[in-house]
Amino acid sequence: DAGVIQSPRHEVTEMGQEVTLRCKPISGHNSLFWYRQTMMRGLELLIYFNNNVPIDDSGMPEDRFSAKMPNASFSTLKIQPSEPRDSAVYFCASSTLAGIYEQYFGPGTRLTVT
Amino acid sequence: DQQVKQNSPSLSVQEGRISILNCDYTNSMFDYFLWYKKYPAEGPTFLISISSIKDKNEDGRFTVFLNKSAKHLSLHIVPSQPGDSAVYFCAARTLTADKLIFGTGTRLQVFP
């Protein structure tokens, strides 16, 4: 099993640019989570999907952030426009609905906005 | 407002000794708790969990203790090994929510 795949692994962009992070969950998993890791707040849940449907987006910090899951094998997290304070490591995780608390994380995307 | 708090950002322990990582929570509705381990440049991986109906769960060198009255849980690693050096995240969930609330993490360093 390839595990959760995230791309890119690193992204450096200038303030104001659009950033798109991508995630491919583990095949057969029907829950997908987007997290952001910062020193101050640890791992914050941004949004999660069950069966491709967004269930809770209360963690999305602002309207500049949006996420989609067009099918069971792909999700995107978009930031438009990006700001320096968005710099963080963004993780995608997936799980089965039954094992929803034992989530499998991808390697993360380190985003730097200058 | 952090509902799950890990007040020690770092911990250094000698190989072979016990490592104790602590976690406090504020939400009395939390009913399930987990620990995740994270190596550099990798995503967190699930380590061990405990239900609120228990006060202890053991898996090999790892034991998690839960004190509901104090809203406190701890992870004990004994004996500690250099490969245990990582960041450890505590997480919790409520019965009605499909999501985990994570702490800020504790960086454990095990030295020879």
Side-chain angles (χ1 to χ4, degrees):
Chain A
D1 196 329
V4 175
I5 299 172
Q6 290 187 247
S7 64
R9 292 295 308 275
H10 302 273
E11 177 78 41
V12 181
T13 191
E14 291 183 348
M15 181 174 63
Q17 297 297 306
E18 177 180 297
V19 174
T20 299
L21 311 182
R22 298 172 175 80
C23 175
K24 177 179 169 55
I26 293 173
S27 177
H29 283 190
N30 37 25
S31 293
L32 183 139
F33 306 80
W34 282 101
Y35 291 90
R36 178 171 67 176
Q37 184 190 4
T38 61
M39 289 292 290
M40 291 300 295
R41 302 180 67 86
L43 274 169
E44 295 178 273
L45 177 66
L46 301 177
I47 185 171
Y48 78 94
F49 298 81
N50 283 348
N51 294 319
N52 312 337
V53 176
I55 302 300
D56 184 344
D57 65 354
S58 60
M60 297 286 261
E62 305 173 29
D63 291 345
R64 298 184 296 108
F65 286 70
S66 62
K68 295 181 179 179
M69 192 165 186
N71 57 63
S73 59
F74 184 66
S75 177
T76 59
L77 178 67
K78 185 176 294 186
I79 309 172
Q80 165 64 16
S82 59
E83 297 183 2
R85 59 193 167 122
D86 301 331
S87 298
V89 181
Y90 291 81
F91 289 102
C92 175
S94 71
S95 72
T96 61
L97 279 173
I100 200 165
Y101 308 110
E102 297 177 15
Q103 299 171 9
Y104 294 79
F105 283 75
T109 295
R110 181 174 294 278
L111 173 65
T112 303
V113 183
T114 60
Chain B
D1 55 338
Q2 286 283 120
Q3 295 187 64
V4 178
K5 302 177 183 179
Q6 294 177 257
N7 293 317
S8 298
S10 64
L11 175 67
S12 188
V13 173
Q14 189 173 29
E15 181 179 6
R17 306 294 290 268
I18 185 171
S19 295
I20 300 176
L21 295 95
N22 294 304
C23 178
D24 297 297
Y25 60 95
T26 58
N27 189 343
S28 58
M29 300 302 292
F30 286 147
D31 73 333
Y32 196 75
F33 304 87
L34 305 90
W35 286 92
Y36 278 75
K37 179 169 72 173
K38 182 187 179 304
Y39 292 118
E42 296 183 10
T45 55
F46 169 74
L47 184 59
I48 191 169
S49 62
I50 187 168
S51 166
S52 61
I53 63 174
K54 296 185 176 181
D55 55 17
K56 176 183 175 181
N57 188 28
E58 189 172 354
D59 184 1
R61 297 186 297 113
F62 301 90
T63 303
V64 57
F65 295 91
L66 175 63
N67 183 334
K68 289 190 294 292
S69 61
K71 294 190 179 67
H72 177 83
L73 67 156
S74 60
L75 174 67
H76 292 210
I77 306 173
V78 56
S80 301
Q81 298 174 355
D84 297 329
S85 298
V87 176
Y88 290 79
F89 289 97
C90 170
R93 72 112 207 244
T94 62
L95 186 62
T96 56
D98 284 339
K99 62 184 183 181
L100 295 174
I101 308 297
F102 282 86
T104 52
T106 297
R107 181 179 301 278
L108 172 66
Q109 182 180 6
V110 180
F111 60 92

